[in-house]
Amino acid sequence: MAHTQYKCQTQGNESYVDNQFIIFSQSYLLEKVRLFTKKNGPFTQNVKQKANVMELGCYNGRLMHFMLQAWTFVNYTGVDVRSDYLETSMVKKRKDVKLLCEDVTKGLSVPDDSMDMIVSSEVIEHLNESDLPNVMQTLSSKLRKDGKLTIAFP
């Protein structure tokens, strides 16, 4: 029997393996948000009664797109340092979406004590170690008293 070696196929800048990890990490974050909103509700589709969720390193807001498909409704604030990512967002025109082009190492314009949950995947490991204490303090200051921070990294 011949041994078959599989090569990573690429589509754009992302390989098949990259895409599989994206599916895993986005599913993980989606499930964490879904469980948080279920446990800490009642949150509704009414903008004033939705959980306030911020995603650090949001790319093009695809997590919000996935949440909508899963009937998980939140007020979403996506933060990314790359404006070109934000410009390609499928959710950027929604009333319950705010996209910010900001660098967390320089602070965030998000009001303190305003977020019920902050999620992030594939971001923290790219920061300089010396910036981590300030970044963690910044994120902590944005969370409400009983807020939750979920960070995923390889």
Side-chain angles (χ1 to χ4, degrees), residues 46-62:
N46 180 324
V47 172
K48 293 180 181 177
Q49 296 174 327
K50 290 181 184 179
N52 293 318
V53 175
M54 181 173 77
E55 181 182 13
L56 180 65
C58 71
Y59 181 51
N60 64 3
R62 69 178 158 209

Side-chain angles (χ1 to χ4, degrees), residues 25-134:
S25 66
Q26 295 294 286
S27 297
Y28 173 78
L29 294 181
L30 171 60
E31 185 63 8
K32 290 297 183 181
V33 172
R34 192 188 67 73
L35 290 172
F36 178 84
T37 58
K38 184 177 180 181
K39 179 181 176 184
N40 295 289
F43 297 115
T44 69
Q45 291 186 42
N46 180 324
V47 172
K48 293 180 181 177
Q49 296 174 327
K50 290 181 184 179
N52 293 318
V53 175
M54 181 173 77
E55 181 182 13
L56 180 65
C58 71
Y59 181 51
N60 64 3
R62 69 178 158 209
L63 180 62
M64 178 61 171
H65 182 71
F66 295 151
M67 286 189 286
L68 293 169
Q69 292 174 344
W71 292 83
T72 302
F73 301 102
V74 301
N75 291 316
Y76 176 84
T77 301
V79 179
D80 206 291
V81 295
R82 295 201 37 191
S83 62
D84 58 322
Y85 288 168
L86 302 175
E87 291 165 7
T88 63
S89 175
M90 294 181 285
V91 296
K92 67 182 176 184
K93 294 182 180 179
R94 292 184 56 88
K95 291 179 182 177
D96 52 1
V97 170
K98 183 188 298 182
L99 298 176
L100 304 172
C101 185
E102 297 182 357
D103 180 346
V104 69
T105 64
K106 296 180 171 100
L108 296 174
S109 64
V110 175
D112 287 351
D113 302 314
S114 64
M115 292 293 134
D116 296 300
M117 184 172 198
I118 298 174
V119 297
S120 183
S121 178
E122 297 296 302
V123 175
I124 298 298
E125 70 273 16
H126 297 287
L127 302 177
N128 291 326
E129 185 178 339
S130 61
D131 290 328
L132 288 177
N134 286 338

